[in-house]
Amino acid sequence: MEVKIVNQSRNELPAYSTALSAGMDLRADLEQPIVLKPLERVLVPTGLFIELPVGHEAQIRPRSGLAIKKGVTVLNSPGTIDADYRGEVKVILVNLSNEEFVINHGERICQMVIAKHETVAWKPVEILEETERGAGGFGHTGKN
Ligand SMILES: O=c1ccn([C@H]2C[C@H](O)[C@@H](COP(=O)(O)OP(=O)(O)OP(=O)(O)O)O2)c(=O)[nH]1
């Protein structure tokens, strides 16, 4: 599938890869480094703009390496990029460690996965079909 992408990032390194992996790493596009204190969050620009086909979304997900080594993750994971969004793809990072984390220009901060989704026509009804579970949830079957 082809997806249109406008790259206004100042990164010399490729902003995206063509590898056949599910997630494409995205790089920070920064004029100067960002210092993220413990428990602070920040909106990080990528310099990328995409045009997804209707019925598709892009999901912004954490990188496992940053999460386990630095405690830095995507706060709203998975962030949703809608098919009709034409703004810059941005990433909400949060520092869950007890040390400062510096985000440098060009650093790979997250990964983006393109996914298909259903387009639903909601059908209002008075009653839903019964099931064995019924309204039980949130651990109602116990631990064992
Ligand atoms: O991590 C994210 C999440 C969202 N967006 C952009 C693309 C998305 O299509 C738009 C709206 O996102 P969302 O629906 O999550 O935001 P909202 O808080 O519901 O705001 P809105 O009222 O603008 O929909 O913001 C990003 O760039 N990065």
Side-chain angles (χ1 to χ4, degrees):
M1 180 180 77
E2 276 186 349
V3 178
K4 289 182 193 165
I5 184 163
V6 173
N7 183 0
Q8 291 184 356
S9 164
R10 286 152 292 188
N11 282 302
E12 286 164 18
L13 293 162
Y16 51 89
S17 71
T18 50
L20 291 177
S21 50
M24 163 175 124
D25 286 348
L26 301 185
R27 295 177 186 279
D29 181 29
L30 302 176
E31 274 171 28
Q32 53 194 39
I34 297 173
V35 178
L36 203 53
K37 295 200 179 96
L39 295 183
E40 261 187 0
R41 58 185 183 270
V42 68
L43 191 60
V44 185
T46 65
L48 299 178
F49 302 72
I50 61 176
E51 185 178 325
L52 291 166
V54 172
H56 292 74
E57 58 155 340
Q59 299 173 353
I60 305 297
R61 303 188 191 171
R63 294 186 69 210
S64 60
L66 267 188
I68 186 65
K69 290 180 196 154
K70 301 291 179 184
V72 171
T73 189
V74 176
L75 181 58
N76 58 330
S77 180
T80 305
I81 310 295
D82 297 286
D84 61 353
Y85 181 68
R86 295 292 176 267
E88 181 176 4
V89 174
K90 294 187 179 176
V91 181
I92 306 171
L93 287 185
V94 62
N95 179 0
L96 299 181
S97 79
N98 52 17
E99 287 172 7
E100 276 184 1
F101 178 74
V102 179
I103 309 167
N104 291 303
H105 175 62
E107 187 160 352
R108 289 178 298 150
I109 51 169
C110 68
Q111 55 187 321
M112 181 167 75
V113 174
I114 310 299
K116 276 188 189 168
H117 63 81
E118 295 291 336
T119 304
V120 171
W122 294 104
K123 179 180 170 187
V125 292
E126 291 302 319
I127 198 160
L128 302 176
E129 195 172 318
E130 281 183 21
T131 66
E132 197 177 319
R133 171 184 288 276
F138 314 100
H140 86 294
T141 57
K143 252 183 165 179
N144 302 312

